[in-house]
Amino acid sequence: MNSLLKRLIFLFIMMEGSGILSSCTVDFVPDPVNPSLTVYSEEGKNIASALINGQPWNSFSSCGSTYWCNRITVTNQADSNRIIIAIKSGRIINSDESLSIKFTLENTGVNSLGEIMKLNNLRLQLNGQPHSGSLSTANNASHEGQLFIRRIISIDSDNYIMSGTFGFIVTEDSGQTFEVFKGRFDSYISYEVE
Amino acid sequence: MKYITCNLFLFCSLLTTSSACAQFYVKTGFIFSDINSEHIETDGMGRMMIGLGGFPVRINESLRLQTEITFTGKGFKYSNNKNKEQIKFYYFTAPVTVNYIPRPFFSLEGGLEIAGLIDAKFESRRFNDRIYVETYSNWDLGAVAGANFFENQIFNLSIRYIHGIRSILKYPAFDEFGNISGEINDVNNQTFQVVLRVILAENE
């Protein structure tokens, strides 16, 4: 009977202990409610995700949580007083389709990287007047929606983390509608001036 | 770590202050684990556990205190999920129960279990690797009810149900446009255990 116990303990170690021993981190951390999306966080994980017409879309880096692996580019179009926040290309799960998401914001008062904190805790309606959201695979911009830049963290004068949530609806001229729901992002940002 | 140290101290204290009744055992067995939440649709999953326990204090002829330290797997599977995504938890637990012994071969038990989360893993067909999950609370508290059979034998059987009385998750609930519509704080562990116990020492 003692050998039976030893076998049970061995079986336990094989089945349960192996999980601990084979620990390996990947940068995708799942949302606890919808595990197809990334978790909402505010610490520069370099991740973004959303449901596009119900299909999970994820943009995350395989190289970690540093500035060099960031998923967000903020482009300042100085002459037009416009900034564009672009989330780098991500994949729709179980599909080969890849696309990026872009927010066009007008008159934010951000003219340099040092002024990016003006966007902190800013909720913007994405109804096209004046702000909008769009998909790289669609021609039109959103007519309904919201971008909420919940938190910007200044690491130093050159490095910032931007975190927030979004959702918007785009209707193409053909009548096809794209619903981009439950969006979230948490990434270091690259800043460019055009 | 402080939590585990405290519980080991408590456990050892109870063992060393044993009265005339002292019985120590090792245990291992199968667990059916799930969570109870209105916000997350899940299915249960099988896990395993291993542990040490004893009855260091006899309160009277039919009541005694039972303390244990176990390494326990818990977790759940997401329902209707093509990628077979699941969360596995690894806990150190310290249940403390009172045993009522109506017959020499049978006892009923009730008490509390405090648990410290060692690790949590997300598994999915989408990834080759298990992924560390930092979203969940690093401790848990559960209410324990169970029964033990053939207690007068060296090998005996125990069944136990543990219902979490504390949410292991605090997380914002988002609406479609990214507004926070509330907080998810109703995620409780539920486990049913069938365990084989082997008595190592008895001093009665």
Side-chain angles (χ1 to χ4, degrees):
Chain A
M1 292 296 269
N2 276 336
S3 65
L4 172 66
L5 185 68
K6 282 178 187 170
R7 284 180 190 175
L8 285 170
I9 291 171
F10 177 74
L11 184 67
F12 172 83
I13 291 167
M14 292 298 290
M15 291 179 70
E16 300 292 332
S18 60
I20 293 281
L21 297 172
S22 63
S23 176
C24 179
T25 54
V26 179
D27 295 298
F28 181 90
V29 178
D31 182 281
V33 178
N34 186 339
S36 299
L37 301 178
T38 59
V39 70
Y40 177 75
S41 58
E42 297 179 344
E43 56 195 74
K45 287 181 184 292
N46 293 326
I47 54 177
S49 67
L51 293 173
I52 301 178
N53 287 347
Q55 297 300 308
W57 169 89
N58 287 306
S59 172
F60 61 96
S61 165
S62 60
C63 70
S65 302
T66 67
Y67 167 78
W68 303 106
C69 307
N70 73 70
R71 307 306 298 163
I72 293 178
T73 303
V74 178
T75 304
N76 192 338
Q77 296 183 332
D79 55 341
S80 61
N81 222 1
R82 174 185 298 151
I83 61 169
I84 295 170
I85 298 175
I87 302 175
K88 289 178 185 173
S89 186
R91 279 192 62 231
I92 292 178
I93 290 179
N94 298 329
S95 155
D96 292 331
E97 194 172 357
S98 180
L99 58 87
S100 56
I101 290 176
K102 190 170 74 174
F103 305 102
T104 304
L105 312 181
E106 306 284 350
N107 304 316
T108 57
V110 175
N111 297 306
S112 66
L113 180 59
E115 293 179 321
I116 200 81
M117 292 301 287
K118 288 181 179 176
L119 300 177
N120 186 41
N121 196 27
L122 190 65
R123 193 192 298 254
L124 300 163
Q125 296 307 307
L126 301 177
N127 54 12
Q129 299 169 348
H131 316 297
S132 63
S134 59
L135 300 173
S136 59
T137 53
N139 295 317
N140 289 350
S142 61
H143 55 82
E144 182 184 358
Q146 176 182 266
L147 168 67
F148 191 172
I149 302 172
R150 293 177 178 273
R151 192 174 185 199
I152 297 177
I153 301 170
S154 171
I155 306 299
D156 55 44
S157 59
D158 294 326
N159 292 294
Y160 293 84
I161 292 169
M162 183 184 283
S163 309
T165 54
F166 60 91
F168 60 85
I169 301 172
V170 176
T171 303
E172 293 286 78
D173 295 334
S174 63
Q176 186 181 6
T177 297
F178 294 97
E179 293 176 332
V180 182
F181 286 159
K182 293 187 181 288
R184 69 280 311 267
F185 57 87
D186 174 28
S187 176
Y188 284 78
I189 61 171
S190 300
Y191 184 80
E192 299 171 353
V193 178
E194 277 186 356
Chain B
M1 196 62 202
K2 192 185 288 180
Y3 154 78
I4 294 168
T5 310
C6 283
N7 279 293
L8 280 172
F9 176 77
L10 175 68
F11 182 72
C12 294
S13 301
L14 287 170
L15 290 185
T16 52
T17 57
S18 61
S19 63
C21 164
Q23 187 184 79
F24 308 112
Y25 55 82
V26 291
K27 60 187 286 187
T28 184
F30 175 79
I31 292 174
F32 180 77
S33 177
D34 201 351
I35 56 165
N36 178 33
S37 172
E38 285 185 7
H39 294 88
I40 309 174
E41 291 183 20
T42 63
D43 298 318
M45 69 188 309
R47 302 302 309 275
M48 295 192 79
M49 63 92 67
I50 190 168
L52 286 169
F55 302 98
V57 177
R58 181 182 284 279
I59 299 165
N60 60 36
E61 276 303 306
S62 57
L63 287 177
R64 61 187 175 179
L65 195 66
Q66 180 177 7
T67 58
E68 292 177 353
I69 290 282
T70 76
F71 178 55
T72 298
K74 298 185 182 182
F76 61 90
K77 295 176 181 174
Y78 287 94
S79 298
N80 305 319
N81 191 305
K82 286 179 191 170
N83 296 303
K84 299 206 166 180
E85 285 158 335
Q86 59 187 23
I87 302 281
K88 285 184 174 178
F89 299 118
Y90 300 84
Y91 284 102
F92 265 128
T93 75
V96 178
T97 57
V98 173
N99 277 56
Y100 169 64
I101 315 160
R103 297 280 186 278
F105 55 86
F106 174 69
S107 72
L108 297 169
E109 62 183 22
L112 290 173
E113 176 188 272
I114 189 161
L117 183 67
I118 305 164
D119 205 355
K121 296 259 167 46
F122 173 66
E123 294 180 2
S124 169
R125 275 187 177 174
R126 289 186 287 145
F127 306 104
N128 292 325
D129 297 309
R130 296 182 170 93
I131 298 166
Y132 170 66
V133 179
E134 59 204 41
T135 323
Y136 295 89
S137 171
N138 57 11
W139 69 283
D140 189 22
L141 186 66
V144 178
N148 305 295
F149 304 91
F150 316 114
E151 285 213 310
N152 49 351
Q153 306 292 316
I154 290 176
F155 290 87
N156 55 69
L157 190 70
S158 168
I159 59 171
R160 180 179 281 180
Y161 174 71
I162 303 163
H163 188 95
I165 52 179
R166 163 175 203 277
S167 179
I168 57 169
L169 177 70
K170 285 199 169 127
Y171 188 71
F174 293 102
D175 69 11
E176 310 299 26
F177 291 103
N179 297 301
I180 292 177
S181 55
E183 187 183 51
I184 298 168
N185 57 3
D186 68 340
V187 181
N188 301 94
N189 273 316
Q190 290 178 303
T191 55
F192 179 74
Q193 305 178 352
V194 180
V195 170
L196 177 71
R197 303 194 308 192
V198 182
I199 296 170
L200 297 177
E202 198 164 12
N203 175 26
E204 189 157 11

